[in-house]
Amino acid sequence: MNLVFVHGWSVVNTNTYGDLPKKLTAHVVGKKLKLNIRHIYLGQYVSFNDEVTLSDVARAFDHALREELPDGNGIADFSCISHSTGGPVVRQWLEEFQPSSRWRCPLKHSIMLAPATHGAPLAVIGKQRLGRIKAWFEGVEPGQSILEWLSLGSDGQWQLNGSHFKRGNMNRPYEFVLTGAARDPKLYDFMNSYLDEPGSDGIVRVAGANMNGRLIELTQTSAAVKGRGRPKEARTLELTKTHIADETPLCVLPEYSHSGTSRGIMASKARGEAGLAAVVTEVMACLDVSSKRQYDRRFELCEAQTNRVQAAQSAEPRYCQIVISIRDDQGHQFDPGDYDFLLLSGPQYEPDKLPGGFFRDRQMNCGTGRLVFYLNYDALARVHNIKLGLRVIPRPADGFAYYRPAEFHSGKRPLTDFLRPNETSYFDIKLTREVDHNLFRLRGADQPAGSFKGTKPARTSVD
């Protein structure tokens, strides 16, 4: 078995892989897997250059595979262990270079350790401040282009994860996510609360690592929103389609943090020889999967492990993440200042009826206009038959081209149709751009000439 390691962002030394490669080869003694140190390749890529994009790295990854693992005109079979940003690198390579031929894809297993599947909240603090946090960096300035990909609500995440939600798992490699649930205080600057954020490993949220999630499409209709306290001329948002990702095993390992030699998921030296024991055991179990039945069984075991871990962490609730993207029916993506957004609940779908403690964090991606919420799922789920609603107040609200407010109400649908613990839900909201009837009129040539400078909107829309 060829085994390729792919590191994370702004790494400059292959010692980032720690003892994991050697421990894996030692662990296969007496097992069916054929793996020795000659079959292991330690990836090294430059991510600290501002011009380098994730797509650039994926392209270079493809070239390196063809160069080091040739098989005729293609690539020899291999499995991959990635860490942090390495997970999106491998997935981007699959998307670009193995899009329609996965039934003969050379990648057989993709085991992602703490992958930044849906980005990392820390990316918002900026390049210079990130460069001072030793948990991620080793004396180099982080690359700006990949930092933009990692920022919550980025275009890159929307495209890659949207494709995953829509396509499903058919004919893909066996993919797995292993992530920690501990934070290592020795590594972090606690001036930033994201470094000790509950529901995370200190860098990546469990909900931000998990491949399981959904893309929910909501489209504005012409039907008025009923009920008191509604914005004037508000129109309903209709649920048009939900794309749900096929199940990917997620295993939460409680004793590991994102990185470092103390508790890091790849290089932990805590507890001596037992430091990486749990990681090695899980990785070997993933590499041993060779059938759909075994893969489904692995999912069940990982889910049980995660449930045990999170049940034991009674003081720390489970979290979920929401990504809000707003565009109109003409393809225009709304910028941050183009709308206000509210979460609603209660019998009348009001903004002040959500349960106490439900809110943890809110981030706006200033580059894409997408809004990301980090919510206490357990606080929401404790409310019996909780109703969930969304309200968008777009701008401009008047003139010759404008928008009407929009609302979505969950109705009798259960909370789990929209949010699930440890998962990220993407909401793709499409609003109607209204064009006023008076924007363009025809006037007979037999009528006297006259000014139309003072024309006012009729406040009725063209079809």
Side-chain angles (χ1 to χ4, degrees), residues 227-242:
R228 60 181 176 83
R230 314 269 68 103
K232 185 181 179 181
E233 296 188 332
R235 299 292 185 263
T236 62
L237 285 169
E238 179 183 39
L239 175 59
T240 51
K241 193 163 188 179
T242 299

Side-chain angles (χ1 to χ4, degrees), residues 181-183 196-200 310-319 378:
R183 278 84 69 191
D196 191 34
E197 188 174 53
S200 80
Q310 295 186 323
Q313 295 176 321
S314 55
E316 189 163 288
R318 298 172 299 171
Y319 290 84
D378 288 333

Side-chain angles (χ1 to χ4, degrees), residues 9 19 33 56 58 60 67 187 192 221 223 227 279-280 284 343 368 378 411 414 428-429 435 447 458-459:
W9 177 51
D19 293 333
L33 293 173
D56 292 333
E67 192 172 60
L187 295 176
N192 192 291
T221 73
V279 177
V280 170
M284 294 306 299
L343 291 170
T368 67
D378 288 333
D428 183 9
I429 300 174
V435 174
Q447 297 181 16
R459 199 56 188 183

Side-chain angles (χ1 to χ4, degrees), residues 5 17 19-29 31 33 35 81 111 113 178 253 255-256 264-268 273-288 298:
F5 281 74
Y17 301 117
D19 293 333
L20 187 55
K22 291 181 180 179
K23 287 185 179 296
L24 286 174
T25 57
H27 201 76
V28 300
V29 175
K31 293 186 175 290
L33 293 173
L35 176 68
I81 298 175
I111 303 167
L113 307 180
L178 313 180
L253 303 173
E255 60 266 43
Y256 296 102
I265 197 166
M266 264 207 315
S268 173
E273 286 298 313
L276 286 173
V279 177
V280 170
T281 298
E282 291 297 332
V283 168
M284 294 306 299
C286 295
L287 290 173
D288 201 35
R298 191 80 229 132

Side-chain angles (χ1 to χ4, degrees), residues 260-428:
T261 56
S262 177
R263 306 181 76 172
I265 197 166
M266 264 207 315
S268 173
K269 293 185 181 298
R271 303 178 305 281
E273 286 298 313
L276 286 173
V279 177
V280 170
T281 298
E282 291 297 332
V283 168
M284 294 306 299
C286 295
L287 290 173
D288 201 35
V289 170
S290 59
S291 69
K292 178 67 165 55
R293 183 185 62 81
Q294 291 176 335
Y295 188 67
D296 291 343
R297 179 57 179 159
R298 191 80 229 132
F299 176 88
E300 293 171 358
L301 293 172
C302 287
E303 184 177 48
Q305 157 77 2
T306 297
N307 289 339
R308 284 194 300 271
V309 168
Q310 295 186 323
Q313 295 176 321
S314 55
E316 189 163 288
R318 298 172 299 171
Y319 290 84
C320 62
Q321 199 167 242
I322 302 175
V323 182
I324 303 295
S325 184
I326 302 176
R327 58 190 173 94
D328 67 21
D329 54 358
Q330 305 302 308
H332 167 71
Q333 182 78 29
F334 280 61
D335 290 328
D338 290 344
Y339 67 95
D340 295 324
F341 183 88
L342 294 170
L343 291 170
L344 312 173
S345 191
Q348 301 300 320
Y349 294 95
E350 297 169 279
D352 57 349
K353 299 300 181 182
L354 285 152
F358 86 97
F359 179 82
R360 176 67 197 186
D361 184 60
R362 173 187 183 276
Q363 264 195 37
M364 170 68 77
N365 189 308
C366 294
T368 67
R370 295 192 182 97
L371 187 58
V372 181
F373 289 93
Y374 189 46
L375 306 179
N376 180 333
Y377 177 86
D378 288 333
L380 295 169
R382 277 195 293 269
V383 178
H384 180 64
N385 290 333
I386 187 171
K387 295 181 182 296
L388 182 69
L390 314 175
R391 179 182 296 166
V392 182
I393 304 175
R395 290 180 283 273
D398 52 30
F400 291 101
Y402 61 95
Y403 301 96
R404 302 180 194 271
E407 281 195 21
F408 172 73
H409 299 167
S410 62
K412 296 182 179 180
R413 302 180 188 92
L415 179 66
T416 51
D417 277 5
F418 308 100
L419 308 177
R420 293 201 175 188
N422 305 319
E423 292 188 7
T424 296
S425 296
Y426 285 58
F427 286 82
D428 183 9

Side-chain angles (χ1 to χ4, degrees), residues 117-118 154 157-158 161-162 165 214-217 321-324 424-428:
T117 304
H118 306 285
S154 72
Q157 291 165 40
W158 186 269
N161 292 312
F165 293 146
R214 62 201 57 225
L215 170 63
I216 299 166
E217 297 179 359
Q321 199 167 242
I322 302 175
V323 182
I324 303 295
T424 296
S425 296
Y426 285 58
F427 286 82
D428 183 9

